[in-house]
Amino acid sequence: MKDYRYETESFLLRQVKKEDAPQLLRCYSDPAAVALMNDDNCIGGFLFKTLDEMERAIYFWNNDVFQYARPAVIDKRTGEAVGTLEVFGGETGVLRVDLRADYERPEVLRELYALAVERFPGDFPMGAMVTKAVPEASARRAALAELGFSGPERFREYEGYYRLSFSRMKRELGLAYCGLACCLCSENEGCKGCRQNGCAAWAECQNYGCVTERGLEGCWECPEFPCGKGMLEKPRMRAFVRFAKEHGVEGLLDRLAENERAGIVYHYPGGLTGDYDLPTEEEVLDLLERGR
């Protein structure tokens, strides 16, 4: 299993190891801590009474066939493993948070949940993240509400989940003249879109000027495509325009929406690049058409 590593102000996170078992047993042998954990859809619970049980759980976490991560939460101050997180990606990604009872504090929970929201969707693409917070976990519920999670709701057949959607799709913004997906742009919260002169660079944009002067709807209507002007230097843009030329704008928007629901990310958090920023036009087209 890949060793994903993360760091916050107070914690280091790296894939759990057998050597963590004695310290983690303090967490997983405590009924009060285990009562706040999420063992939905798991075989057995997470209450481990012996070191052997803890080691067997860690072995399973490191050798399961599914693609997920189970990093140990290491307190930088003490060097102790005080719990674990678990994350799955997909259309709806799942986050589990297991902590020692003395770490079940608002400031700790906010720090770890914020890390999960910022980093996990990039490494485990997901359309939304859900995490369980039972009624007794008032600190968890408060921290999740602060970060914009909605809930509680029913997820599959289980109660008590909170959800944060990563969908940026505003279909009404459509495509820019060059093929950029304004509908999925990470700047679309306050932007009217290319066609409404929302982009700060519209006056200098080669593609904007060329298309509007010719009276076209977009580069996909141009008989000179692919010309390589402006944004069409990028493989992603050439692939998007080619797809729109062959399948129509609505066909491209449908594929982008379907891929986003499957966890394919247009823009990674905090940036303007994502899963479609591949080396060749052919690779981008393959991702559009086939998904993962």
Side-chain angles (χ1 to χ4, degrees):
M1 182 175 288
K2 184 175 179 180
D3 184 5
Y4 292 94
R5 291 177 177 267
Y6 307 95
E7 184 171 355
T8 71
E9 181 179 353
S10 306
F11 300 100
L12 295 170
L13 287 84
R14 47 95 177 128
Q15 185 64 22
V16 65
K17 301 177 182 178
K18 181 180 178 181
E19 292 74 21
D20 298 324
Q23 294 174 353
L24 287 179
L25 189 59
R26 288 186 60 192
C27 173
Y28 288 95
S29 64
D30 180 359
V34 173
L36 303 184
M37 297 179 189
N38 172 13
D39 63 3
D40 292 346
N41 214 33
C42 294
I43 299 174
F46 288 154
L47 183 62
F48 306 129
K49 297 181 179 179
T50 68
L51 188 61
D52 180 64
E53 289 178 321
M54 189 74 250
E55 289 178 347
R56 280 190 278 123
I58 292 173
Y59 177 84
F60 176 81
W61 293 336
N62 279 300
N63 292 277
D64 196 5
V65 297
F66 296 103
Q67 181 58 38
Y68 71 101
R70 173 74 80 154
V73 180
I74 312 297
D75 186 328
K76 287 183 180 179
R77 183 177 55 85
T78 65
E80 291 182 286
V82 300
T84 69
L85 303 187
E86 181 182 278
V87 58
F88 286 85
E91 183 174 344
T92 302
V94 178
L95 171 69
R96 288 189 170 103
V97 178
D98 301 350
L99 290 175
R100 220 167 67 188
D102 53 329
Y103 283 80
E104 192 72 23
R105 306 193 305 269
E107 67 274 15
V108 171
L109 293 163
R110 283 194 298 268
E111 193 169 329
L112 294 175
Y113 284 138
L115 168 75
V117 169
E118 180 181 351
R119 298 293 305 280
F120 289 170
D123 287 337
F124 304 89
M126 57 185 73
M129 176 185 289
V130 296
T131 188
K132 189 167 185 176
V134 297
E136 296 77 12
S138 57
R140 296 187 180 217
R141 291 189 165 197
L144 292 169
E146 285 183 28
L147 289 170
F149 282 75
S150 62
E153 66 173 51
R154 187 178 181 86
F155 176 62
R156 296 175 182 157
E157 66 267 38
Y158 304 105
E159 303 287 350
Y161 279 83
Y162 285 72
R163 175 183 296 268
L164 183 65
S165 175
F166 298 112
S167 175
R168 303 200 66 91
M169 188 72 156
K170 288 187 172 181
R171 194 170 180 123
E172 67 274 13
L173 294 181
L175 302 178
Y177 291 117
C178 64
L180 277 171
C182 294
C183 56
L184 284 172
C185 178
S186 60
E187 305 296 316
N188 72 13
E189 287 300 323
C191 178
K192 297 180 292 184
C194 168
R195 295 172 185 276
Q196 300 296 322
N197 298 345
C199 176
W202 70 269
E204 295 81 36
C205 176
Q206 283 184 281
N207 306 105
Y208 182 101
C210 181
V211 169
T212 53
E213 285 175 12
R214 296 179 182 219
L216 305 175
E217 282 298 308
C219 292
W220 49 90
E221 290 189 348
C222 181
E224 296 177 21
F225 172 80
C227 65
K229 290 181 182 177
M231 294 298 292
L232 293 180
E233 293 179 353
K234 301 177 182 293
R236 169 165 59 113
M237 303 326 308
R238 293 196 302 274
F240 279 23
V241 171
R242 190 175 301 281
F243 194 97
K245 193 176 186 71
E246 295 177 4
H247 304 282
V249 170
E250 292 302 315
L252 175 57
L253 294 175
D254 287 344
R255 287 303 303 151
L256 290 170
E258 185 173 342
N259 281 353
E260 189 197 32
R261 288 193 294 271
I264 295 174
V265 180
Y266 183 73
H267 282 166
Y268 301 139
L272 293 175
T273 60
D275 291 335
Y276 293 106
D277 289 278
L278 298 169
T280 68
E281 183 179 335
E282 289 71 25
E283 290 174 281
V284 182
L285 281 168
D286 186 66
L287 183 59
L288 272 173
E289 293 170 353
R290 300 173 181 267
R292 294 195 186 280

